[in-house]
Amino acid sequence: MEEKLKISFEFFPPKNAKMQQNLWKTLNKLKIFYPDFVSITYGAGGSTRKRTHETIKKFTYRPAIKPIPHLTCIGDTKTSIRKLAEDYWKLGIRSIVVIRGDSENIKLTKKRKFISSSKDYKYASELIKDLKKINNFNIIVAVFPEQHPESKNLNEDIDNLKRKIDLGATKGITQFFFDNNKFYDFINILHKKNINIPIIPGILPIINFNKLIKLAENCKASIPLNIKKLFESKKEYEFDLSVDIATTQCLDLINNGFKNLHFYTLNRGDLTGKICSNLTKRKFVNKSYDAFWS
């Protein structure tokens, strides 16, 4: 029997009433795809801590939706983390996405070595260790198919992932990527190193290509030349092009055995909704897009 496709979504906590309404409209558009879970981000330096917690509480009022909060260690103390984790457990939250996070004014050495402004935590692995002591949370961690921008090399990055798994992480969600072959190569390396936790591909629909270029540079995520050329030549069809690119990327992942997909929605339901509709119908786009990640 074929494994069922599982879709999940990431949202960020709204800043005001208008954005709150927009979030619920987006959720209403996307809930028809019966998401496996929805995750709520946590701003740099814990800047959205209160809004993240409030959004999670509101999501728990909807039995059909499984909310998973992000939790970072930068900007938090062991005391504040314990209080927040205990509150989440009381709400029925059993899974947490754990990331190191950045300070609002991130400090890096000349060699791009991260300097933490927190006295209690420096790395996600330390936070994972404490969370597992507080309660038996399911820990999800960030994974970087093209290497974390601050790592010396991919091996160092994988060693960090292994450390998190040894401390209790049981699942990973990747940073967004557009080159599927790089992702497959990364998964093969993990398997060779006996790292076999489920890795969920993170998909970023292209809402604004010019902004994406800057974001990708900061994250060290490559954009295939074919995609760049398409957006340069077909700017007036950006929405349709974005749908076709993401649909094709996802179908290729599904055909290669990855039946869990996580979408970075940026709190917008139109683009992500169209892509998911294509996937649930297994709608194939023009074959000329097969070379996007070649």
Side-chain angles (χ1 to χ4, degrees):
M1 183 176 180
E2 185 180 359
E3 185 181 350
K4 183 181 178 182
L5 176 64
K6 292 183 179 179
I7 292 172
S8 55
F9 303 114
E10 177 184 288
F11 301 107
F12 58 81
K15 294 181 179 179
N16 51 49
K18 184 177 180 180
M19 292 178 71
Q20 182 91 259
Q21 290 179 340
N22 180 63
L23 173 59
W24 298 122
K25 286 180 181 179
T26 299
L27 179 63
N28 286 333
K29 287 181 180 179
L30 297 179
K31 70 181 182 181
I32 63 170
F33 301 107
Y34 300 98
D36 191 41
F37 65 87
V38 298
S39 66
I40 311 297
T41 63
Y42 201 72
S47 56
T48 68
R49 183 189 301 109
K50 183 178 180 181
R51 288 188 281 118
T52 297
H53 188 61
E54 289 174 348
T55 304
I56 287 291
K57 286 178 68 176
K58 289 178 180 178
F59 270 93
T60 60
Y61 300 148
R62 297 170 177 244
I65 301 295
K66 177 185 177 182
I68 298 180
H70 285 218
L71 192 56
T72 68
C73 54
I74 303 304
D76 269 301
T77 64
K78 291 191 175 186
T79 300
S80 63
I81 288 291
R82 172 171 285 277
K83 175 65 168 60
L84 191 55
E86 289 174 345
D87 287 346
Y88 279 145
W89 192 267
K90 290 176 183 176
L91 284 172
I93 302 299
R94 297 294 181 265
S95 299
I96 296 179
V97 177
V98 176
I99 55 178
R100 185 201 70 191
D102 297 325
S103 63
E104 291 186 271
N105 298 301
I106 187 170
K107 295 180 180 180
L108 298 173
T109 66
K110 291 181 180 180
K111 294 182 179 179
R112 291 191 62 80
K113 182 70 175 179
F114 174 76
I115 300 176
S116 173
S117 58
S118 171
K119 294 181 179 179
D120 288 351
Y121 293 109
K122 291 184 179 180
Y123 304 108
S125 55
E126 298 170 342
L127 178 53
I128 292 170
K129 184 177 181 180
D130 275 6
L131 285 173
K132 295 298 284 188
K133 289 178 181 177
I134 294 168
N135 262 309
N136 191 28
F137 287 103
N138 298 311
I139 303 295
I140 304 169
V141 293
V143 179
F144 302 87
E146 297 179 77
Q147 182 184 320
H148 191 283
E150 295 165 31
S151 295
K152 294 178 182 177
N153 50 55
L154 188 59
N155 283 331
E156 180 185 69
D157 216 27
I158 292 175
D159 287 343
N160 289 334
L161 174 59
K162 181 66 165 58
R163 190 175 301 112
K164 296 172 188 176
I165 294 170
D166 290 342
L167 289 168
T170 56
K171 186 179 294 184
I173 298 176
T174 75
Q175 178 179 261
F176 69 88
F177 61 92
F178 298 99
D179 189 331
N180 281 10
N181 284 333
K182 290 183 183 296
F183 171 72
Y184 299 141
D185 288 344
F186 175 72
I187 293 298
N188 287 334
I189 292 172
L190 294 186
H191 289 168
K192 288 178 181 178
K193 291 180 176 288
N194 294 315
I195 296 175
N196 298 303
I197 64 169
I199 303 294
I200 303 175
I203 307 299
L204 179 65
I206 303 173
I207 292 176
N208 183 305
F209 187 70
N210 290 330
K211 289 183 178 180
L212 172 68
I213 292 175
K214 185 175 181 180
L215 177 63
E217 287 177 354
N218 291 335
C219 297
K220 302 298 181 183
S222 61
I223 302 176
L225 182 61
N226 289 355
I227 292 180
K228 291 180 180 179
K229 288 181 177 179
L230 282 167
F231 274 98
E232 288 172 358
S233 62
K234 299 183 178 182
K235 291 182 180 179
E236 66 272 27
Y237 303 111
E238 188 166 278
F239 181 91
D240 293 337
L241 190 57
S242 296
V243 170
D244 285 353
I245 288 172
T247 302
T248 303
Q249 180 185 14
C250 291
L251 286 171
D252 185 74
L253 289 163
I254 292 168
N255 290 337
N256 280 278
F258 294 90
K259 301 299 174 67
N260 286 22
L261 301 173
H262 187 70
F263 288 87
Y264 299 111
T265 70
L266 301 180
N267 286 26
R268 285 184 51 171
D270 51 353
L271 188 54
T272 301
K274 180 60 176 175
I275 296 162
C276 291
S277 178
N278 286 347
L279 296 180
T280 54
K281 297 173 184 177
R282 293 297 197 275
K283 179 181 177 181
F284 286 80
V285 295
N286 192 302
K287 291 183 179 178
S288 65
Y289 294 122
D290 288 347
F292 278 161
W293 40 78
S294 64

